[in-house]
Amino acid sequence: MAGLATYLPAYLIFALLLFSFGLIAALARRSAIGIFMGVELMLNGAALNFVAFQALRKGVIANDSWLHGHIFSLFIIVLAAIEAAVALAIVLRVFGSRQTIDADRADQLRG
Amino acid sequence: MLVNLALAIVLLPLSAYFILTVVGDRLPRQGDWLSTGAIFGSFLCALRIFGEMWSSFDPAWVVQKTWAWMDLSTLNVPWKLEMGVRLDNISATMLLMVTLCATLIHLFSTGYMRDHHGKPEDGYRYTSFFSYLSLFTAAMLGLVISDNFFSLFMCWEVMGLCSYLLIGFYRHKPSAANASLKAFMTTRVGDLGLFLGLLAMFAILKSFRFDDVYAGINSGAFSTETIVGVSAAFFIGLGIFIGTVGKSAQFPLQIWLPDAMEGPTPVSALIHAATMVSAGIYLIIRIFPMLEYGGVLPIVAYVGGFTCFFAAILAIKQNDIKKVLAYSTLSQLGYMVLALGVGAYSVGFFHLITHAVFKACLFMASGAVIYAMHHEQDMRHMGGLKKKLPITFACMLITTLAISGVPGFSGFASKDLILGNVMGYAHLHPQHYLLVFFGFATAAMTAFYMFRLIFMTFWGEPHDHHHYDEAHEVSWNMWLPLAILASLSFCVVYTGSITGLGFDKIFGSANEWILKLNPAPMVEGAEGSRLALEEAAHHAHVPTMILSIILAGAGILFSYLVYGSKKISAAKLESLWPRFVQRAIDNLYYFDAFYIKVLIKKIFLPFSDKNAKFDDAVIDRVMVDGWKDATMVGQKASGIFDDMVIDGVMVDGAGGAFPTAIGSSLRHLQNGKVQRYLMVAVVALMLLFLFRGVV
Amino acid sequence: MGHILSWMTFFPILGVIAIALTPKTKETLIKGIAAISTAVPFLLSFNIIAAFDRTSSGIQFEEKFSWITSLNVNYHMGIDGISVLMVILTALISFLAVFASLNVKKMVKGYFTMYLLLHVGMMGVFCALDFFLFYVFWEVMLLPMYFLVGIWGGERKEYAAIKFFLYTLFGGALMLLGIIALYMYSKGPEGAGIPTFNILELAGRDWTQYTINIFGFQLPFDKTVWWLLFVGFAIKVPIFPFHTWLPWAHVQAPTAVSVILAGVLLKMGVYGLLRVNFAILPEATKYFSYVMVILGLINIIYGALCAMAQTDLKKLVAYSSVSHMGYCILGIAVFKPDAMAGAILQMFNHGLSAAMMFMLVGILYDRLHHRYIVTPQGKPGFGGIAQKAPWITAAWTVAIFASLGLPGLNGFISEALVFIGAFQAYKTETMIASIGVVLGAAYLLWMAQRVFLGPYTTLEKDHHSGVLVPAEHIAEPTLREWIVVAPLGFLCLAIGLYPQPMLNFVRETIGKLLEVYN
């Protein structure tokens, strides 16, 4: 089981990549859908981190009842699903009212 | 058994009421037979009860039964309010009188109210009329069989409701609506007194039962208590007497009864002559020991004396046939109250019974006249009707003789006894001689105005030929009741004496059965004064009798001279009265004016208006909505402070420039672009990490 | 059947869900759901009538679960002799008022959702025995009421709704302060115990030993808290001078909501006083009893005088409620079993007769579209209705006479009991209060005279122009309207003739409640 400890950096780097690509997408894409996809990537990157560390802990401590990592990743999955539903609904409404999904155009709240 | 009969007496008309209310208009003849039949059934039961009473012929005869009605007892605190039936000589006699009058009046109504029969577009008023009559009768009978003041009060109020509904029967007439409201409100004021008296009674005794009250008086339960500064017995007695003043239309709450003549004539006969108004007298009879014990009797006597005298004066000047009878009712009720006030208990009850019979007949006879004359009520338009309405005339004449106190008729016997007792009372208490004057003057006036009615209506030439020609004797269901009641207006029925003078008694031991059977309940310490009164009345009896016969004869003779043979001009006679007296009489002594124009319109209504305005303007607008204004003011004040001090001095002044600059530069950050915000967040997060790293 | 109180309280929630899932165009279905969701608590109330133990003074049908453990908050329901009548009344009036609302045209779905939520709140208030729960229900009831008045009300509905809302919220805030104070001090003198919201447990404590520091003044704890709670409840009763929301809310509310307001909501105030002030703080209640007597007195006379001067039919009835609730206050403030029974019965009776009267006002309004006894131009707005609509008049007559206390109808029983009890304690005050009986007859019968008797002068408001024109025709009540009016009238008569079944419910509980006072 010590193998996981060895491969941990790989998981972490993969998660980092997921997160970074997600962040870039979220910051740079103009389309609201793109931003939203970026956010999804970020969430999944974070979830991967949780699972990885949980697995590591499982390997180190025997008969461990600690489940926070799994629970949090489950949380994130559920949250992502809900967020998808809500975000897509918002996108649809925005499109309905402005005939575009360009995020820069939805700037009614500017100061 | 008797108790069940008594309950049946009440329940028969009560169920008739409910049936008529729900399905009355679908019954054949709109259900008048149901109502009449029910009350006739009650009459038969009452007859049976009366027979039972008669066969025992015992002053102490009584049958009672009680049931718990409200029970709030818990383990340690008993609290019960009972309902019960009490049959004694008084209630048995009353039951017979009420059911008899009511039966006959129902019968009479089937004729009198014919015009309303079978008219759905009229709102089935014929049915309603009979249903109201039934409810009224049930309440009156319930009052009579009550063994306690609480159920008596309840029935009393229900009678008030029926009276309200029946006075306002012709509901399209504003005058009827006014009269019904006036009647209900005036009696309600009296009822308030009654109710307070009952509250005090319960507070002391924890019971409303007659027996408990009498026992309480004898055991001294009322001797120490005081209520608002007067003795408890006085408070209770006076309060309950005020109830009577309202219901029996005594001075100063008499104003409603004349107006109550707006109702259909059978109603006037039943409610405002025979039964409901005598319920007030019945109440005094039941509470008599308390009045005696609490020293209320002199007040009672003077109220009665005033009423009988002043109402008789008003009766002289009325031209509306029903109004004459209304004021004569007031006056006769005054007699009863006077009798009870001087302490003549059984005599007052005697007059109650005889008066109910002859006054019911008088009212129905006047109804027959009105019906025959196509609802003409003004006596000046009548005249010469004795040929057209022979039976009605005969009955009316007999009952008029009775009310005038002519020997041989029932009114003579009872009135004569009242006058004798008043005289005796005045002998014992010489300061009260005014009462004697009231009594005798009223006797003369009664004979005068009643015969004035007879002469104006039946004598002489017809004044309105159109109505006169069409007039004809009424149908059997209208004259039969008159005949029965008239036949009961003879003295012999009540005293066993054919002339009423006392020397020709034929009933043997049952002579003067009303007096013998109904002695006043015993009150400790009252025997002396009662015996003294009896003695004095006995001595005063013969002179009184002679004087009253003379006065009645004089009244009749004078009436004949003025209205029969017209030897004396009525107009001239009238001009003899001083102007201010005439005006006072025309305005009914200004009572109505005072109550309605001053008390209600000048004081009460404006006050309630002011009160409502106060509620709206002060409580609501100022105290409640005022908070809104207060906050607005506060808001403005703090706004000014903000402008002047915070903004003007601290912001725009010394340290003003700097924040303004920051504000306007930061403003550009808020450009509404979500990705910019996200960028800021990421950068900030990174800075945070860096910062932590440094630390 | 277990958990009957929870079923009665929360069954309408199922109705809310069902209505939420129904398309808003299917109005008949929505109305049907509302009728069923109120019918079930109504039918369950018969079970309560049957199973309620009249010989016990304790809490019955009790349910208790831990709800928020950390704060020691429990879901605690139960009824005793005081609340059982109110629960029955709530179930009855809410069921009948659905029929009164069947003619709602605007936003039917929203209306009945709010209506059922209101039902939950009202029923919950009468069943809750945990202060926290009580407060939650109290506030739950507030919001639907705000919308019912504010959306479906009359001309000035927004003003009336916000007034009602602010008043009640203000009262609720004071009440919350009182509740929290009791909760904090329930830890005991050393502050070592577990604090509790349990109303029954709080009732046994000695609160006179504490003082409370407010703005540097050392005030006796129980009296201070008593006032906080009293004002909270007094607004609901309403007691003078907190009554001015009532005419507005009653007048502007739609018919069914007026029926509920008068029939149920006003009773919460008196119920709260009995359940909280009387049971928990007996010493302070005794201390301030005379204040309550005087306030009751003012309510009776002042309300009657205000009613006398009204020219709006509904406002007149609303002020008559103020007057009638005064009898309740007078009755509870004298600590006599008869007066107390009278006051509780008066709550029930007024619930019947006032509900009936508001329904009847609604019946006239539906036909004539105005409520002016006297129009702003000074002409009679009604008159002679008896000739055209004898059955409407008959129903009104029952309501009027029940309300003015005619023996044989229910109002008399309760008023008489109140007076019988009150007279034993305060003679002069009771004598003054009894003038209210005469005034009550005066304003009601004067109104009856102007509306129903005399020549036919009734006007109606024209749909299009809004001008008052003579009304040619007044339709008699429909079956739907009879369903509301007839049971109420029947109950008025039944209770008036034989009140003992009602007294059996309350007798033992009153005995226990008053043990502390005598």
Side-chain angles (χ1 to χ4, degrees), chain C residues 45-67:
Chain C
S45 73
F46 285 99
N47 193 0
I48 289 202
I49 295 172
F52 189 84
D53 180 6
R54 272 85 160 162
T55 58
S56 148
S57 63
I59 298 293
Q60 307 186 28
F61 305 104
E62 195 168 356
E63 297 168 31
K64 190 171 179 183
F65 310 101
S66 183
W67 180 20

Side-chain angles (χ1 to χ4, degrees), chain B residues 124-376:
Chain B
Y124 297 107
R125 303 255 69 203
Y126 189 70
T127 310
S128 328
F129 181 80
F130 277 95
S131 70
Y132 296 160
L133 277 192
S134 284
L135 179 61
F136 170 78
T137 322
M140 180 71 198
L141 293 168
L143 177 136
V144 172
I145 64 167
S146 290
D147 79 331
N148 64 78
F149 286 102
F150 196 76
S151 57
L152 188 148
F153 176 74
M154 291 178 64
C155 296
W156 175 276
E157 289 280 301
V158 175
M159 291 193 327
L161 163 73
C162 297
S163 154
Y164 171 81
L165 293 171
L166 284 165
I167 294 171
F169 185 76
Y170 298 122
R171 52 194 177 189
H172 53 278
K173 282 163 71 180
S175 58
N178 275 328
S180 59
L181 180 67
K182 191 170 172 185
F184 195 89
M185 288 317 301
T186 318
T187 48
R188 188 90 179 182
V189 171
D191 295 349
L192 181 62
L194 169 54
F195 187 56
L196 288 174
L198 295 187
L199 290 181
M201 181 190 285
F202 191 83
I204 293 168
L205 278 182
K206 300 275 180 249
S207 167
F208 288 116
R209 297 192 55 219
F210 298 156
D211 282 348
D212 294 342
V213 174
Y214 303 154
I217 293 170
N218 284 332
S219 68
F222 298 97
S223 57
T224 50
E225 303 270 348
T226 59
I227 293 168
V228 290
V230 296
S231 84
F234 182 80
F235 182 89
I236 297 170
L238 188 67
I240 293 179
F241 177 62
I242 290 172
T244 294
V245 169
K247 207 65 150 188
S248 294
Q250 297 296 295
F251 173 89
L253 295 179
Q254 82 287 24
I255 54 161
W256 66 272
L257 187 59
D259 288 31
M261 297 304 140
E262 286 288 342
T265 310
V267 170
S268 313
L270 178 61
I271 296 187
H272 309 117
T275 53
M276 188 179 84
V277 288
S278 26
I281 312 298
Y282 178 79
L283 179 66
I284 310 189
I285 289 171
R286 286 300 188 193
I287 197 67
F288 184 80
M290 184 75 81
L291 301 178
E292 197 173 26
Y293 181 78
V296 191
L297 282 183
I299 300 175
V300 175
Y302 273 95
V303 169
F306 268 113
T307 310
C308 75
F309 180 72
F310 287 105
I313 295 179
L314 289 180
I316 291 175
K317 284 208 55 168
Q318 302 302 317
N319 288 320
D320 182 325
I321 186 166
K322 281 175 79 181
K323 286 262 163 89
V324 176
L325 293 176
Y327 283 109
S328 108
T329 306
L330 278 182
S331 170
Q332 297 298 313
L333 289 168
Y335 259 132
M336 297 171 212
V337 175
L338 173 62
L340 291 161
V342 299
Y345 177 88
S346 26
V347 172
F349 182 64
F350 186 13
H351 197 58
L352 163 64
I353 299 289
T354 57
H355 170 258
V357 170
F358 63 64
K359 188 50 74 60
C361 181
L362 278 172
F363 260 110
M364 284 198 280
S366 78
V369 170
I370 293 168
Y371 186 77
M373 293 292 285
H374 293 273
H375 296 277
E376 174 61 73

Side-chain angles (χ1 to χ4, degrees), chain B residues 524-555:
Chain B
E524 236 165 77
E527 295 94 337
S529 63
R530 281 188 194 174
L531 279 177
L533 179 68
E534 211 170 293
E535 184 75 20
H538 186 71
H539 284 302
H541 187 57
V542 174
T544 316
M545 189 191 286
I546 294 165
L547 186 58
S548 75
I549 293 173
I550 291 171
L551 284 173

Side-chain angles (χ1 to χ4, degrees), chain B residues 112 114-115 170 265 321 365-378 381-382 385 388-389 464-474 478:
Chain B
Y112 189 86
R114 254 181 108 80
D115 299 351
Y170 298 122
T265 310
I321 186 166
S366 78
V369 170
I370 293 168
Y371 186 77
M373 293 292 285
H374 293 273
H375 296 277
E376 174 61 73
Q377 302 198 5
D378 194 327
H381 298 157
M382 298 175 183
L385 285 173
K388 288 274 186 177
L389 301 166
D464 184 335
H465 284 281
H466 174 62
H467 279 156
Y468 179 80
D469 293 338
E470 285 187 0
H472 53 83
E473 184 57 270
V474 291
M478 289 173 74

Side-chain angles (χ1 to χ4, degrees), chain A residues 26-27 29 35 106 110-111, chain B residues 670-673 675 678-679 682:
Chain A
L27 288 177
R29 302 282 302 194
I35 296 172
R110 70 171 175 269
Chain B
Q670 298 283 46
N671 63 355
K673 298 206 181 353
Q675 280 166 314
L678 195 57
M679 192 68 192
V682 170

Side-chain angles (χ1 to χ4, degrees), chain C residues 32-243:
Chain C
I33 294 171
I36 292 168
S37 338
T38 49
V40 168
F42 175 60
L43 293 175
L44 287 175
S45 73
F46 285 99
N47 193 0
I48 289 202
I49 295 172
F52 189 84
D53 180 6
R54 272 85 160 162
T55 58
S56 148
S57 63
I59 298 293
Q60 307 186 28
F61 305 104
E62 195 168 356
E63 297 168 31
K64 190 171 179 183
F65 310 101
S66 183
W67 180 20
I68 306 174
T69 324
S70 55
L71 294 175
N72 194 15
V73 174
N74 293 300
Y75 174 80
H76 190 182
M77 307 276 265
I79 51 176
D80 62 1
I82 300 171
S83 37
V84 64
L85 287 183
M86 295 300 108
V87 167
I88 296 168
L89 181 72
T90 310
L92 171 73
I93 298 285
S94 306
F95 175 62
L96 293 181
V98 168
F99 292 92
S101 347
L102 288 186
N103 60 346
V104 167
K105 300 270 185 309
K106 185 171 151 190
M107 294 166 68
V108 174
K109 188 169 169 177
Y111 179 89
F112 283 103
T113 311
M114 289 301 157
Y115 184 92
L116 293 178
L117 276 178
L118 180 67
H119 189 301
V120 175
M122 295 188 301
M123 193 63 92
V125 165
F126 291 126
C127 294
L129 290 178
D130 186 277
F131 240 145
F132 195 86
L133 192 63
F134 180 87
Y135 185 76
V136 168
F137 281 126
W138 186 276
E139 296 293 323
V140 160
M141 172 205 71
L142 178 57
L143 209 67
M145 202 50 164
Y146 171 74
F147 286 116
L148 285 171
V149 176
I151 296 178
W152 289 272
E155 312 81 70
R156 299 201 56 195
K157 56 197 176 191
E158 290 88 0
Y159 177 74
I162 198 72
K163 192 160 197 157
F164 168 80
F165 189 84
L166 288 180
Y167 249 119
T168 320
L169 199 67
F170 174 68
L174 290 183
M175 196 168 89
L176 184 64
L177 273 180
I179 292 174
I180 291 173
L182 285 174
Y183 176 73
M184 299 313 285
Y185 278 70
S186 66
K187 284 184 228 168
E190 285 86 34
I194 304 164
T196 178
F197 280 114
N198 188 334
I199 294 180
L200 306 176
E201 248 177 72
L202 292 174
R205 307 286 173 91
D206 172 24
W207 298 104
T208 49
Q209 54 182 324
Y210 307 114
T211 54
I212 190 167
N213 187 323
I214 293 176
F215 297 129
F217 296 101
Q218 286 295 118
L219 298 174
F221 174 80
D222 60 334
K223 288 175 188 133
T224 317
V225 172
W226 190 90
W227 272 108
L228 291 175
L229 294 166
F230 179 77
V231 173
F233 294 127
I235 285 174
K236 203 90 209 175
V237 173
I239 296 176
F240 175 91
F242 306 115
H243 64 279

Side-chain angles (χ1 to χ4, degrees), chain B residues 627-643:
Chain B
W627 285 105
K628 191 183 87 189
D629 301 336
T631 19
M632 296 281 261
V633 171
Q635 215 173 320
K636 255 186 210 137
S638 67
I640 290 166
F641 180 77
D642 226 34
D643 265 4

